[in-house]
DNA sequence: AAGTTCACCTGATGGC
DNA sequence: TGCCATCAGGTGAACT
């Protein structure tokens, strides 16, 4: 579910509400997430004060005092919801953090997410963070750096772009969308992109992600803002979830294309075979 | 090393 | 109505 724009949206919301706030107490209702939550978790986070909410790829990093950091990944169906103190516990609410006048609820239907507390200095020793690729919205992510990280990659470009060690934060929706905008077939070998194509792909990755952040992300099914509302970017999607429809480019050019759905690595890929070569 | 397949989990949807 | 198969925005382990 949540890719970079969705996680960034939640980051901004949590940062605005929780910075400077203290976790009065916490409760774990189900500890079976991707990694089991240790029994000491609730006691360990109680009393920590939020200093800053950061994002790296699809991970949220909540930095607190006492040199601690909460690491959160929303998996496929994770949500972080800010609720009033008197709100009721709902189905799939697994962890509740109580603040002075709010509570932060971690809800996750499929329980593929991650919630863990680390010492600040050990955080970046975690494999996923240590090996994470470039942030696509940073200035040092360029056509050249993208091409360099794709060097020697024989897997399809679609698969490469989903690899978080190649580039951080892209998921199935935005990979499909960026490849469409750049006119590149998802079937192309990763290292087959020319200098010009890498430049174009880099440009559209930045564009699609930043436009989606502006719209508060994409709610295709489960994703929600921290107030429970939906992300508005879904209406801007060109190919994802649009199998059978005529693509906007073909429509403009009056050619006979249609968006098709294929399977790559066990996941759906949407693209226009006429436009994307 | 890098590519591929599969498991993890719940719920929605569609065919019979 | 029920039952079954399939699919879903992610990732990491275990194969080749």
């Amino acid at each position: 579910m949540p890719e970079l724009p969705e996680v960034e949206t939640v980051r901004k919301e949590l940062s605005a509400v929780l910075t400077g706030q203290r976790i009065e107490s916490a409760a774990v209702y189900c500890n079976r997430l991707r990694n089991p939550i240790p029994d000491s978790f609730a006691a360990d986070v109680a009393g920590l004060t939020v200093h800053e909410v950061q994002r790296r790829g699809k991970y949220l990093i909540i930095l607190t005092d006492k040199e601690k950091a909460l690491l959160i990944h929303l998996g496929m169906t994770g949500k972080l919801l800010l609720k009033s103190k008197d709100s009721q516990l709902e189905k799939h609410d697994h962890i509740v953090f109580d603040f002075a006048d709010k509570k932060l609820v971690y809800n996750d239907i499929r329980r593929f997410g991650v919630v863990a507390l680390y010492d600040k200095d050990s955080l970046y020793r975690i494999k996923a963070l240590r090996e994470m690729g470039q942030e696509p919205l940073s200035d040092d992510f360029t056509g050249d750096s993208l091409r360099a990280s794709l060097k020697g990659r024989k897997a399809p470009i679609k698969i490469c772009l989903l690899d978080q060690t190649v580039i951080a934060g892209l998921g199935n929706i935005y990979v499909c969308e960026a490849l469409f905008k750049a006119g590149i077939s998802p079937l192309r070998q990763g290292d087959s992109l020319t200098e010009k194509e890498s430049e174009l792909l880099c440009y559209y990755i930045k564009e699609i992600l930043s436009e989606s952040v502006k719209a508060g992300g994409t709610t295709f099914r489960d994703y929600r803002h921290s107030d429970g509302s939906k992300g508005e970017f879904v209406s801007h999607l060109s190919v994802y979830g649009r199998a059978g429809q005529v693509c906007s480019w073909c429509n403009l050019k009056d050619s006979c294309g249609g968006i098709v759905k294929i399977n790559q690595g066990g996941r759906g890929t949407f693209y226009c075979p006429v436009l994307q070569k």
Side-chain angles (χ1 to χ4, degrees):
Chain A
M1 153 204 117
E3 310 178 34
L4 188 151
E6 291 74 43
V7 179
E8 177 61 18
T9 300
V10 172
R11 185 201 67 76
K12 287 198 275 192
E13 293 164 351
L14 297 193
S15 175
V17 174
L18 298 182
T19 302
Q21 302 295 304
R22 179 174 172 271
I23 301 172
E24 308 288 334
S25 64
V28 176
Y29 296 96
C30 173
N31 66 358
R32 288 164 294 137
L33 300 188
R34 199 164 86 204
N35 306 312
I37 311 281
D39 293 342
S40 64
F41 181 82
D44 293 343
V45 298
L48 297 177
T49 297
V50 175
H51 280 171
E52 196 181 344
V53 186
Q54 299 181 336
R55 179 190 58 73
R56 177 78 172 101
K58 299 174 193 172
Y59 284 90
L60 279 172
I61 298 169
I62 301 180
L63 297 175
T64 72
D65 58 346
K66 298 174 187 165
E67 296 299 308
K68 297 283 184 186
L70 262 171
L71 183 69
I72 300 177
H73 191 294
L74 301 176
M76 289 278 263
T77 53
K79 304 181 202 50
L80 282 166
L81 299 167
L82 286 164
K83 297 192 173 186
S84 64
K85 295 286 276 184
D86 59 359
S87 62
Q88 298 291 305
L89 197 69
E90 296 189 39
K91 197 170 183 185
H92 306 300
D93 283 352
H94 304 314
I95 304 175
V96 178
F97 300 90
D98 288 294
F99 291 84
D101 51 7
K102 281 276 168 200
K103 46 190 189 183
L104 175 66
V105 178
Y106 180 78
N107 177 292
D108 190 351
I109 296 172
R110 295 174 72 179
R111 307 202 312 264
F112 288 169
V114 173
V115 177
L117 184 68
Y118 289 92
D119 290 323
K120 242 181 233 176
D121 58 358
S122 65
L123 189 63
Y124 279 85
R125 279 184 233 136
I126 296 163
K127 192 168 186 285
L129 291 180
R130 203 181 58 220
E131 297 179 357
M132 180 98 51
Q134 281 187 296
E135 280 296 324
L137 294 179
S138 77
D139 290 340
D140 36 315
F141 176 66
T142 63
D144 282 344
S145 73
L146 173 61
R147 193 138 177 265
S149 57
L150 289 169
K151 198 172 178 192
R153 296 272 180 167
K154 304 297 178 194
I157 183 69
K158 159 74 189 307
I159 302 288
C160 296
L161 294 177
L162 286 175
D163 184 337
Q164 300 298 296
T165 69
V166 170
I167 173 170
L170 292 183
N172 212 24
I173 292 181
Y174 299 108
V175 166
C176 291
E177 294 296 313
L179 286 171
F180 171 79
K181 293 232 166 192
I184 296 168
S185 166
L187 300 165
R188 290 271 301 279
Q189 226 171 254
D191 68 355
S192 74
L193 269 58
T194 64
E195 209 168 304
K196 184 153 186 212
E197 286 173 329
S198 307
E199 209 56 63
L200 214 53
L201 183 54
C202 169
Y203 175 83
Y204 283 114
I205 287 172
K206 286 174 189 277
E207 184 188 80
I208 196 90
L209 293 178
S210 49
E211 289 299 312
S212 184
V213 169
K214 276 188 209 161
T218 301
T219 294
F220 203 78
R221 328 173 78 107
D222 301 300
Y223 166 71
R224 291 293 185 276
H225 287 222
S226 59
D227 66 358
S229 62
K230 297 183 179 183
E232 296 303 324
F233 197 69
V234 63
S235 59
H236 299 256
L237 299 180
S238 301
V239 285
Y240 189 86
R242 295 188 182 277
Q245 300 180 23
V246 172
C247 94
S248 50
W249 186 85
C250 288
N251 200 23
L252 287 171
K253 297 281 178 186
D254 203 23
S255 60
C256 59
I259 297 161
V260 300
K261 183 185 182 189
I262 59 170
N263 189 295
Q264 288 182 293
R267 331 194 48 204
T269 298
F270 297 85
Y271 78 114
C272 171
V274 175
L275 167 68
Q276 294 174 256
K277 295 297 181 193

